[in-house]
Amino acid sequence: PGDTITQYTTLPAHKGGAFAVLFTPNGKWMASGGLDATVKIWNATTNKLTKTLSGHTAEVTALACSADGKYLASAGYDNCIIIWETATWKKVKLIERYSWSIALAFNQKGQLAVGFQNGDLVVIDIPTGKPVLSFDAEYQVNCLLFSIDDKYIITGGPVTVWETGTGKKVKRLKVPGGVNGLAVAPGTTHLVSVHSRGTAYVSDLLTGDTIYTYTSIRKSSVPAPTGFEEYAVKIPIVASSFSPNGKLLALGCYDNTILVLDHEGRSIRYTLAGHNSLVTALCFAPGSKKLAGCTADGKILIWVIR
């Protein structure tokens, strides 16, 4: 279902795979990270590679940019978080930990939340590199974000809401575990969590209630005594991103497709297909209809959603 849009451009980016992509808040730069242990900076207007940032010694698993655009954070399987200054793209801080991270998020104060494989969650003051908050999130933190007002940190594995000031658990949403990604619709309390079980759950952060769900399904078949019988298979969803106006929701599915949903109408508007590999992360550009996705075979794919 939905119209198919042709890719605007394809950028060879990382050897072995790309696993994180984002746009800076001013929309000037796009950053990507991958298996080759590098962070690459792209001119978001020309799509030209501007800089390759080296410093990690293992796969780069997550990226985050501060709200003022001054700092880019990268995390890797080398148990390190690197802070880069965007004015010069120089490394300004190296934070070494005892576990690897696949989840990063800045709050409006410029503090960096880091979720770790061992279940720890730490909020770090960038000037000092010291934790201002540290607590046990109870499960491996696959993804995280701050609420718009910074009062809460939302994490997945299980989707859990925590007080930013104390680390106290506020609520656990009644959605399945196995969460691959989280996103909040701008200007709302609508949170999407996407799952390896094949369903995207859109929930209200304030109440914890599920507003609606979307399940990605394909038809398959198995041998039967009378021939082949069709059955439905849920397709894992691995990435999500809301458009800047909150009206579109992009979902990256395990069958190498991206579905762009009308968030208000709760229906598929576009199907982005024809990729040779799994789309591992998605990000809309600020103030525009440009959508970027990175793939397990190391490419950056860009579309313009008109």
Side-chain angles (χ1 to χ4, degrees):
D3 296 332
T4 299
I5 298 178
T6 304
Q7 286 167 218
Y8 174 65
T9 191
T10 302
L11 308 174
H14 297 273
K15 294 179 180 178
F19 301 103
V21 64
L22 61 73
F23 289 92
T24 55
N26 62 8
K28 185 177 180 181
W29 308 106
M30 180 177 69
S32 62
L35 190 64
D36 56 7
T38 66
V39 176
K40 296 197 173 184
I41 307 300
W42 309 82
N43 183 304
T45 301
T46 65
N47 298 321
K48 300 295 185 183
L49 180 64
T50 300
K51 193 83 173 176
T52 297
L53 308 182
S54 300
H56 286 284
T57 58
E59 173 182 350
V60 176
T61 55
L63 297 170
C65 193
S66 60
D68 61 9
K70 289 183 178 179
Y71 298 108
L72 176 72
S74 58
Y77 278 150
D78 55 1
N79 296 358
C80 292
I81 299 101
I82 298 177
I83 310 299
W84 312 87
E85 186 180 56
T86 60
T88 61
W89 298 116
K90 291 183 178 179
K91 183 196 305 182
V92 294
K93 196 165 293 293
L94 173 66
I95 301 168
E96 296 183 275
R97 299 289 294 185
Y98 42 79
S99 180
W100 50 267
S101 169
I102 54 175
L104 298 172
F106 277 97
N107 63 17
Q108 296 299 316
K109 295 178 181 178
Q111 297 169 330
L112 177 68
V114 186
F116 291 94
Q117 179 269 340
N118 67 354
D120 286 349
L121 194 147
V122 180
V123 179
I124 297 170
D125 177 68
I126 295 302
T128 65
K130 302 296 183 182
V132 296
L133 177 68
S134 182
F135 63 92
D136 181 4
E138 301 175 355
Y139 295 87
Q140 175 177 317
V141 182
N142 296 330
C143 44
L144 67 86
L145 50 76
F146 285 93
S147 61
I148 293 172
D149 57 9
D150 279 348
K151 288 184 179 180
Y152 305 110
I153 302 171
I154 302 97
T155 60
V159 180
T160 311
V161 182
W162 313 85
E163 283 185 353
T164 300
T166 64
K168 180 182 177 181
K169 188 196 302 185
V170 177
K171 64 169 73 78
R172 180 160 287 156
L173 272 61
K174 295 179 181 179
V175 298
V179 177
N180 297 315
L182 297 168
V184 170
T188 75
T189 57
H190 293 181
L191 171 79
V192 64
S193 55
V194 297
H195 296 255
S196 55
R197 299 185 186 186
T199 299
Y201 291 81
V202 179
S203 307
D204 189 298
L205 265 178
L206 297 181
T207 65
D209 294 336
T210 299
I211 301 169
Y212 70 93
T213 65
Y214 179 83
T215 302
S216 183
I217 294 176
R218 67 175 170 85
K219 289 184 178 180
S220 188
S221 58
V222 292
T226 57
F228 283 86
E229 293 183 354
E230 282 194 343
Y231 68 107
V233 178
K234 291 183 179 180
I235 303 169
I237 303 173
V238 296
S240 61
S241 181
F242 276 104
S243 62
N245 62 10
K247 293 184 178 181
L248 299 177
L249 171 60
L251 303 174
C253 302
Y254 206 77
D255 61 354
N256 300 354
T257 65
I258 296 169
L259 304 177
V260 180
L261 274 62
D262 181 329
H263 177 49
E264 295 176 349
R266 307 177 187 183
S267 60
I268 298 175
R269 183 176 294 184
Y270 304 112
T271 299
L272 312 183
H275 321 129
N276 295 321
S277 185
L278 173 68
V279 176
T280 56
L282 291 167
C283 185
F284 276 96
S288 79
K289 296 183 178 179
K290 185 182 290 186
L291 174 67
C294 58
T295 66
D297 62 356
K299 295 181 177 64
I300 305 296
L301 311 176
I302 298 175
W303 301 263
V304 176
I305 312 296
R306 300 189 185 280

